[in-house]
Structure formats: structure tokens, C-alpha cells
Amino acid sequence: RRSFLGAASALALTFSVATAAVAQEKKYTIALVPGLTTDAFYITMQKGAQAAADALGVELVFQGAPDFNPVTQVPVLDAVIARAPDAILIAPTDTTQLIEPLRKAHDAGIAVITVDTFIGTGVYQTGAGDADFPLAYIASDNVLGGRMAARALANAIGGEGKVFVSNVKPGISTTDQREAGFKAEMAENFPKVTVLETQFNDNDANKAASQLQGVFARDADLKGVFGANLFSALGAGTGVQQAGQTGNIKVVAFDAPGSIVDNISTGLVDVAIAQHPAEIGYYGVVSAYAHLTGNSIPVSIGTGFTIMDKSNIADPEIAKYIYAE
Ligand code: T6T
């Protein structure tokens, strides 16, 4: 009897060692689909994702479209789904137009996590609506970011005067939320600030620059502009410079590529609100890996901001959040 038990446990031991070996050999593939590839924000996100992938022994695939547009992003997503990765991290370029394309990934058994932007309401796994299937949303708190921008701009203009939001286009969760947060903060706490009509630039910095000049031509007492993402902010700054209004029209920028930070030193940009895209990428990969290896994960992870201005930009602890190009 003793020898029978011995044989059985030896068998069990062999089996579990074999299972462990198989488990170790399984190399997961995680795809990261950015909003667009040529954007320092997503390049920095990719770096963070790669750092986590290296730490976990995961293969990371980075595949995206050349512009921020569902029409170009959906075919890229379809190609990624065809490669059958274990998980997809994606910054959906539209809150509604990416729902059905992403459902295909979900139906194919691919774990879907959205990073930076969301589909539907961004509240997942509650059983409500048709877009609650992603496992998690990992991003900045964009309403808060918009409020921070409003405070910075209101303070820069001395609490009164005309300002406007330079934005991408409606239907993008992040930039919609930044604009909403900005307007709410101004309405609640800065009654002497007038927020003019938003100018939508389709993520084209040149368009944002000429729109700035158009607004200034109509409202010569324009005091400030909030560039709600990298290209909006870059363009708004260029517009202020071209109008010869550097320092007179205050610029608050969302995002912090090297070019915008350089403009802080010259006085063209007053404040840049840096997101932490590397953190988004890192925790995106970690979350996907945790899920794939049988662990539960938080349905939402909020990443941080760093406020950059002339007073702190030389500090390495601040400068480390400047985006990679
Ligand atoms: O601001 C980021 C990102 O958060 C947003 O969703 C789209 O624009 C950027 O990528 C900057 O260009």
C-alpha cells in the first residue's frame, strides 16, 4: 500500500513539474494600438509598455495608424486581430466608432484593455450598455486635467478675460473630458473669465495656429488659450507667436513633448500639463499579463500628471516627465 501511494505521488509530481514547464514556455503576445504612431505621447507610452514587457518576458507588438482617425485605425485593428495576440491594449480614436471593431477582438477571445481613451462611457464590466466588455481602462483623469488647465490659465491671465479651447474634434473621450473639466472649473470658480467657442483642428497643428489668429482677429482682447492636446497646444502656441502676441496671450498646454517644454523657456507657453504616458503603457502590460495568468485586475487605473512651468522645468524630477520623441 505504501509503495502504491509512493508511485501515485511520484506521478503527481512528474505531472505538476511538466505543467510548470509548459506554463513557463508560454510566451504571451500583447499588442499596443496607439491613437497614432507619430505622437510623442504614444511613443512614450510604448517605452513604458516595452519596459513592462521586458520585465515579464512578454512579446510586445506596436502597430498603429499614421493619423488619429477611426477610418485608419480600424483596418490596423483588424490586422492586429488577425495576428491573434493574447491581449490588445488600444487607445480607441472614437468613443462609438470603435465599439463594434473591438467587439470582434473580444469575441475572438482576445483580452481587450483600453489605454488613454475609452469606448462607451469608459465604465466597464458593469453589465450596462454595449461597450462594457473591455477588462480595464488605464489613463489620466482627463476631467481633472481640464480643471487643472483652467486654474493655470485663469491664474496666468489674472482671473479675467476671454479665452478659448483649441481642441481636436468631438467624439474623443480624452479631449472631450478635458474641455468639459476646463469649462466646469471656469464656470464654478472664475466667473470673470469668458470662454469663447471651441475651435476644432482635427489634430492639425497648422490649422490650430491659423484658428488662433482667426480668434484674435475677431477678439483683439483675447487673453489666453488652452491647447487640449499636443498638436492643439503646439499649434496654438505657434499662432500666438505668429500674431506677435508672445506673453500677451497666455498659453496652457496639455502634453509635454520637448518642443512645448522649449516654449516654456522662451515664455511662449506658461504651463504644460504633462501626462504620464509611460506609466499608462507599463500598467497596461502588467494588467494584461496579470489577467492572462489568472489574476484579477482593477477595472480602472488612474495615472498621474506633472505641472511644468518656468519655476520647475530645470528640476530633473520634473524634466523626467518630458515625453520621448
Ligand atoms: O493628449 C494625448 C492623448 O491623451 C489624447 O488622447 C490624444 O492626443 C494625445 O495623443 C497628444 O497628441
Side-chain angles (χ1 to χ4, degrees), residues 226-252:
F226 167 39
N229 85 332
L230 195 155
F231 300 99
S232 307
L234 210 55
T238 306
V240 168
Q241 193 173 31
Q242 287 168 346
Q245 293 300 313
T246 303
N248 290 337
I249 299 176
K250 305 293 184 184
V251 180
V252 170

Side-chain angles (χ1 to χ4, degrees), residues 40-62:
F41 173 84
Y42 294 113
I43 292 168
T44 311
M45 184 188 291
Q46 180 192 8
K47 288 203 162 187
Q50 191 62 56
D54 292 347
L56 297 168
V58 162
E59 191 195 344
L60 181 74
V61 175
F62 182 76

Side-chain angles (χ1 to χ4, degrees), residues 39 41-42 68 116-117 174 178 229-231 255 275:
D39 177 336
F41 173 84
Y42 294 113
F68 197 97
D116 177 45
T117 45
T174 46
R178 288 169 205 163
N229 85 332
L230 195 155
F231 300 99
D255 292 313
Q275 302 187 73

